[in-house]
Amino acid sequence: MLSELSMFQLVCYLIGLPIGIFLVLTFKRYSRGNHKTLKNCAINVALGPLRFFKLGPYSYGDAMVRDINSSMKYAMKKTKLTDFGGSNFLEAYNRTMKSDVQMREKYTNLGYMAAKIELSMGWVRRLKMVDYMKKNLDVAQVPIRSPVFVMGLPRTGTTFLHRLLSLDPAVRAPLTWELLAPVPDPSGKEDQAVHDADRAKRAKYIKKLVATRKSMGDHALERIHEIGYDLPEECLLGLSDELPLLIQFFHAIYMNMDNKSISLLNEDASHAYRYYKQMLQLMSYQIGERTQARRWTLKCPAHMFYPKHIGAVFPDAKIVWTHRHPENAVPSLCSLVEAAHSVYYEPEGMNSTALGAKIRDVSATLLNQAPLDIAASGCDNTDVRYKDLIKDPLSVVQGIYKDFGWDFTPEYQNILKTHIAEDKKKREELKAGGGASGAVLHDYSPEKFGLTKAELSSGLFNDYIKKFNI
């Protein structure tokens, strides 16, 4: 009896030891990403067998995230629609998805699921929007008057400024859920109550989707950029229906970029902004703003690459460019791209030093090219220095309104004062150690990416610093 038990133990040991080693090494592998929680690592490991045997969410195989045609076919099957409204988006998507950089990336188990959902949601959104616009031709008549485009490198105050500008009752900014699910179910002939109920339904769905993703325990992006289903969000979510600007492609986009031409995706983005204009029209249309729509306040770092295209589609647009010393902005952009990479891919695909060198060179060229492109756009524009924005945000906003001749009302002023005070308190709690939420401020350094403060202050960077007195 003893020998039988010993033999059983030996067999269990021989079988269990390699499995245990595999699980430990796999768990350690996933834990190497930025701010991965134990829960996130455990889920990634647990999903391994499903992916290996192509079960459940992995039944379609890697084609769903490697081949644009597979995700488009899935969306057509789901919606029973086939008209994508043109094919301008195909070339840029194929070029990015089939690039050597992207093809070398290895999706984590959770990263695969997130990438698949994002791609399929994008094509479903596009199919539905094209169909809705064809059935409701009056959407295209909604005026988009003098939209504001806030742009600048990350960590230059774009999000803070965008939130401040969006607080004016006379304007509106696209919310996360609106950008992810902008298409109504009711037709334009339905009364407003029906549309309001439909909007609440879509908002609830996206709220659940965002909560589910947060519950997976990956806080890499959230520590850099606050994410909320009902918060004003970047235009990336709208432009990505035409350009491969999804977060999962950030690393490939930058690493594939030409340092000198700094043409993001080598693309004429006019078609993307025309498409985005339709989305803005649709979002105004469904809340009853069909003839006197409020001014849109928009924001996205990618806008820096496309001022001329913005001007071509929105000739009365206003551009607000935020500025901060490159020694802060460039490493922060590196950190953002690295964090985005960690959400989707195995860590072996990230070379922080190579990423730092690429973003340094692209940023140096971009910061000196942007003023020329803004001038060529013909759009009214103004500049905001980060240090001024942080020191006295109220005065900065008042200055923007003065530059553009807008009415700065007492109501808006009171709203701003309240928000600024609350934001200051929140940030003080974060600096003190996270407050009740346990969150922390974004931390980064040039050295992590093989950069120095000296090189981020010389050459083309020095020209930029002097030009804008940063």
Side-chain angles (χ1 to χ4, degrees):
M1 183 71 174
L2 182 60
S3 62
E4 289 179 359
L5 181 60
S6 297
M7 182 59 71
F8 176 74
Q9 289 175 326
L10 178 61
V11 171
C12 290
Y13 176 77
L14 292 174
I15 293 175
L17 180 61
I19 293 177
I21 293 174
F22 171 77
L23 290 176
V24 169
L25 291 176
T26 303
F27 193 89
K28 185 176 180 181
R29 179 188 185 89
Y30 285 125
S31 67
R32 286 168 60 188
N34 290 337
H35 292 256
K36 302 287 185 182
T37 63
L38 292 176
K39 181 179 181 181
N40 181 269
C41 297
I43 294 173
N44 252 318
V45 173
L47 289 171
L50 290 179
R51 189 174 182 185
F52 182 81
F53 291 107
K54 295 185 178 180
L55 300 174
Y58 306 100
S59 59
Y60 288 89
D62 279 359
M64 280 293 290
V65 293
R66 299 290 187 187
D67 178 19
I68 189 174
N69 294 315
S70 295
S71 56
M72 289 172 66
K73 287 178 182 177
Y74 175 85
M76 287 189 284
K77 181 178 179 181
K78 186 177 179 67
T79 60
K80 296 180 173 56
L81 299 170
T82 59
D83 186 1
F84 283 93
S87 59
N88 281 325
F89 63 95
L90 287 174
E91 183 181 351
Y93 261 95
N94 274 317
R95 190 165 58 246
T96 299
M97 294 176 73
K98 297 300 183 182
S99 68
D100 290 341
V101 175
Q102 185 63 26
M103 292 301 291
R104 286 195 298 267
E105 302 285 16
K106 296 180 179 179
Y107 285 93
T108 65
N109 296 327
L110 275 174
Y112 170 93
M113 290 178 61
K116 173 189 169 185
I117 291 171
E118 287 172 10
L119 282 167
S120 61
M121 277 188 68
W123 304 141
V124 166
R125 176 173 61 241
R126 185 185 181 97
L127 286 166
K128 286 185 174 181
M129 188 170 125
V130 170
D131 183 66
Y132 194 91
M133 297 292 285
K134 288 193 298 184
K135 292 177 179 177
N136 299 272
L137 299 178
D138 51 334
V139 175
Q141 303 306 313
V142 175
I144 302 297
R145 297 189 180 94
S146 195
V148 181
F149 290 84
V150 178
M151 60 181 69
L153 292 183
R155 213 64 184 172
T156 59
T158 54
T159 298
F160 182 43
L161 180 59
H162 182 232
R163 298 272 167 87
L164 294 179
L165 294 175
S166 70
L167 292 172
D168 187 345
V171 311
R172 66 174 302 207
L175 307 180
T176 300
W177 77 261
E178 289 183 299
L179 288 164
L180 288 173
V183 186
D185 282 332
S187 72
K189 298 180 178 62
E190 302 289 349
D191 62 35
Q192 193 56 48
V194 176
H195 274 287
D196 291 344
D198 176 69
R199 283 171 55 80
K201 179 181 177 181
R202 283 181 282 135
K204 183 178 180 180
Y205 170 73
I206 298 301
K207 180 181 180 180
K208 182 179 179 181
L209 190 67
V210 171
T212 299
R213 185 154 182 173
K214 286 184 177 182
S215 72
M216 296 298 178
D218 192 333
H219 305 305
L221 279 176
E222 192 175 358
R223 80 188 223 278
I224 298 175
H225 177 75
E226 185 181 12
I227 300 171
Y229 84 100
D230 59 348
L231 291 176
E233 194 45 86
E234 298 192 359
C235 305
L236 282 178
L237 298 177
L239 294 172
S240 65
D241 285 7
E242 282 282 335
L243 300 173
L245 295 175
L246 294 171
I247 298 173
Q248 62 182 288
F249 298 132
F250 277 11
H251 181 240
I253 287 172
Y254 273 100
M255 296 308 293
N256 286 326
M257 198 178 300
D258 185 285
N259 295 354
K260 295 182 179 180
S261 70
I262 56 97
S263 177
L264 186 61
L265 301 168
N266 297 313
E267 194 74 12
D268 178 348
S270 298
H271 61 90
Y273 283 96
R274 284 193 292 270
Y275 178 90
Y276 191 41
K277 179 180 179 180
Q278 291 181 326
M279 186 177 288
L280 297 175
Q281 289 174 313
L282 180 55
M283 288 191 282
S284 291
Y285 180 85
Q286 63 193 261
I287 64 171
E289 295 185 2
R290 302 183 181 183
T291 57
Q292 296 294 326
R294 283 174 290 169
R295 182 177 69 245
W296 281 99
T297 299
L298 311 168
K299 174 250 181 179
C300 182
H303 293 323
M304 284 189 68
F305 293 91
Y306 301 125
K308 290 187 289 187
H309 305 118
I310 290 173
V313 178
F314 304 96
D316 60 347
K318 312 295 185 186
I319 292 177
V320 181
W321 185 7
T322 57
H323 304 275
R324 193 181 185 186
H325 200 290
E327 70 180 34
N328 300 109
V330 173
S332 182
L333 176 53
C334 294
S335 180
L336 173 63
V337 175
E338 184 184 57
H341 185 276
S342 75
V343 171
Y344 299 93
Y345 307 111
E346 304 283 5
E348 288 78 9
M350 171 56 64
N351 182 325
S352 298
T353 301
L355 177 67
K358 172 62 73 170
I359 290 184
R360 175 199 63 206
D361 294 343
V362 168
S363 298
T365 305
L366 176 61
L367 290 172
N368 285 273
Q369 180 63 38
L372 304 177
D373 291 343
I374 291 174
S377 74
C379 297
D380 290 342
N381 61 90
T382 191
D383 299 286
V384 170
R385 295 187 302 177
Y386 177 82
K387 58 185 178 183
D388 297 331
L389 178 63
I390 297 305
K391 181 180 180 181
D392 191 353
L394 184 62
S395 294
V396 167
V397 173
Q398 287 176 319
I400 292 172
Y401 269 61
K402 182 179 180 181
D403 288 345
F404 293 145
W406 295 334
D407 185 19
F408 188 81
T409 65
E411 179 187 12
Y412 180 36
Q413 182 173 6
N414 290 332
I415 293 173
L416 280 176
K417 287 181 177 178
T418 300
H419 178 85
I420 290 168
E422 291 175 350
D423 183 78
K424 182 179 180 180
K425 181 181 178 181
K426 180 179 178 181
R427 293 185 67 82
E428 288 174 349
E429 290 177 351
L430 290 176
K431 289 179 180 178
S437 68
V440 294
L441 288 172
H442 178 206
D443 186 33
Y444 52 90
S445 69
E447 291 75 19
K448 180 180 179 181
F449 302 97
L451 304 172
T452 66
K453 291 184 178 180
E455 66 183 307
L456 297 176
S457 302
S458 59
L460 289 176
F461 286 122
N462 187 49
D463 296 340
Y464 165 74
I465 292 166
K466 288 182 176 179
K467 181 179 180 65
F468 292 99
N469 190 28
I470 299 171

